[in-house]
Amino acid sequence: MENPNSLVLWEAQFGDFSNGAQVIFDQFLSSGESKWLRQTGLVVCLPHGYDGQGPEHSSARLERFLQMSDDNPYVIPEMDPTLRKQIQQCNWQVVNVTTPANYFHVLRRQIHRDFRKPLIVMSPKNLLRHKDCKSNLSEFDDLAGHPGFDKQGTRFKRLIKDQNNHKDLEEGINRLVLCSGKVYYELDEERRKSERTDVAICRVEQLCPFPYDLIQRELKRYPNAEIVWCQEEPMNMGAYSYINPRLLTAMKVLGRGGIEDIKYVGRAPSAATATGFYSVHVQEQTELVQKALQRDPLNYPF
């Protein structure tokens, strides 16, 4: 807050360790601009992702940061081409990036603007060494000759669409799985194993402010698809309670049904963020990934 023109990053060794800084988030970061008209561009990097390391090393309490967001879940804001207005009207940004290029661009966007907003980054540790978590050089610099030139675009992607080169209208897709974070890679691997060509998986990289325009683009792309929100966290944690009303708002405008048409796949409600037994973790993770891609229709809510 002392120098808003610097790119300052604060990182917790594990996301759970941010608990001790909660009073700072409450008093200064989430409400500072509202109370004192004081802008800050602080970036908070919180390792988050379920790797079987137990309840103290799994969750950065994503739900707490989303709950403190002041965007209205029942009103779609003005989505101008620059998205400047939507971000300026929100108290901060919460992202869960899954590619090196998107991480680079969200940091570049943070300092390149002429205004400041705090940025909360959920950063899964196992993606640092995941074989599929990589970006073409063209996604950083758009240099001719690099793989993906003229295809990827050098910008931050608030939502990453399905990677199977689907057309603008895909009536043969039966299920649209929306997710955020590292669970995407597990879902994609299971989809390849089970040879499910009728399932689309989209990554919501920016959770707050909610990307209504891109969500609606994908809903139009898959008009016959069952809509699923998949997460690793228990139902009372993670992004589910934040996503649910906003996804419903986006669906209603397009006539895509009501609350019962949003199916949930993830862990059941829990007091602890995660199990302390690695074998139980593996079983839970396997079950939720398989359930998201099961061939039978899902029940509401899960």
Side-chain angles (χ1 to χ4, degrees):
M1 295 183 75
E2 176 64 25
N3 187 354
N5 295 316
S6 296
L7 180 62
V8 180
L9 292 85
W10 183 89
E11 182 177 10
Q13 184 179 2
F14 289 92
D16 313 67
F17 295 177
S18 66
N19 284 354
Q22 192 68 45
V23 65
I24 303 298
F25 299 139
D26 292 344
Q27 292 290 95
F28 297 99
L29 210 57
S30 69
S31 59
E33 186 173 2
S34 177
K35 291 191 291 188
W36 307 308
L37 300 179
R38 180 72 171 166
Q39 292 189 349
T40 173
L42 179 67
V43 179
V44 180
C45 297
L46 304 177
H48 174 86
Y50 283 58
D51 299 319
Q53 299 299 308
E56 312 311 333
H57 294 328
S58 297
S59 174
R61 290 292 190 176
L62 170 60
E63 64 278 359
R64 293 181 180 174
F65 296 98
L66 292 174
Q67 185 187 28
M68 288 192 286
S69 301
D70 64 357
D71 57 329
N72 191 327
Y74 305 111
V75 177
I76 298 180
E78 181 182 335
M79 308 292 287
D80 63 285
T82 66
L83 302 169
R84 177 189 174 111
K85 191 170 183 179
Q86 186 194 19
I87 293 177
Q88 280 191 307
Q89 290 179 341
C90 195
N91 62 327
W92 61 12
Q93 313 146 97
V94 182
V95 302
N96 195 353
V97 292
T98 58
T99 69
N102 235 20
Y103 182 54
F104 167 77
H105 286 300
V106 80
L107 293 181
R108 182 176 179 273
R109 180 183 78 166
Q110 186 71 357
I111 200 66
H112 195 60
R113 291 187 181 123
D114 55 4
F115 64 91
R116 296 288 172 260
K117 289 286 177 179
L119 174 65
I120 310 297
V121 181
M122 299 288 132
S123 43
K125 280 196 167 184
N126 81 346
L127 295 192
L128 291 170
R129 52 189 178 277
H130 196 287
K131 60 181 174 59
D132 295 324
C133 183
K134 55 190 176 184
S135 300
N136 290 321
L137 286 174
S138 61
E139 294 180 73
F140 293 89
D141 61 13
D142 243 356
L143 185 66
H146 286 163
F149 173 65
D150 284 342
K151 180 181 177 183
Q152 304 292 339
T154 55
R155 67 189 186 285
F156 173 66
K157 297 176 183 176
R158 295 168 294 138
L159 180 145
I160 300 179
K161 63 183 182 179
D162 190 273
Q163 296 297 285
N164 287 329
N165 293 321
H166 289 167
K167 302 184 184 73
D168 289 341
L169 184 64
E170 291 283 356
E171 296 182 343
I173 297 296
N174 297 323
R175 181 173 298 156
L176 170 61
V177 179
L178 298 168
C179 65
S180 190
K182 78 169 186 66
V183 73
Y184 163 76
Y185 291 99
E186 292 159 285
L187 290 169
D188 190 45
E189 184 180 358
E190 180 65 24
R191 179 172 58 174
R192 288 197 297 266
K193 277 186 194 173
S194 57
E195 299 179 343
R196 293 296 306 276
T197 57
D198 59 339
V199 175
I201 307 174
C202 294
R203 284 169 272 179
V204 183
E205 300 278 287
Q206 178 178 291
L207 296 159
C208 173
F210 191 70
Y212 288 99
D213 53 336
L214 300 183
I215 290 288
Q216 289 181 325
R217 182 193 72 187
E218 298 309 306
L219 291 173
K220 291 175 185 175
R221 192 191 304 270
Y222 308 109
N224 302 318
E226 181 182 29
I227 300 165
V228 176
W229 173 258
C230 179
Q231 66 177 34
E232 302 178 290
E233 303 88 350
M235 193 180 196
N236 57 321
M237 302 176 195
Y240 176 64
S241 58
Y242 175 87
I243 290 288
N244 210 29
R246 290 163 177 84
L247 179 55
L248 177 62
T249 298
M251 289 166 56
K252 278 185 173 178
V253 173
L254 303 178
R256 285 296 294 271
I259 193 72
E260 68 279 358
D261 295 299
I262 302 174
K263 311 298 173 58
Y264 168 82
V265 174
R267 287 172 167 82
S270 172
T273 52
T275 178
F277 298 98
Y278 183 74
S279 59
V280 175
H281 160 79
V282 172
Q283 180 183 349
E284 290 176 346
Q285 200 77 0
T286 301
E287 286 176 357
L288 75 87
V289 169
Q290 290 177 346
K291 185 170 185 178
L293 294 168
Q294 71 179 35
R295 296 192 180 273
D296 296 330
L298 291 159
N299 295 322
Y300 172 78
F302 63 97

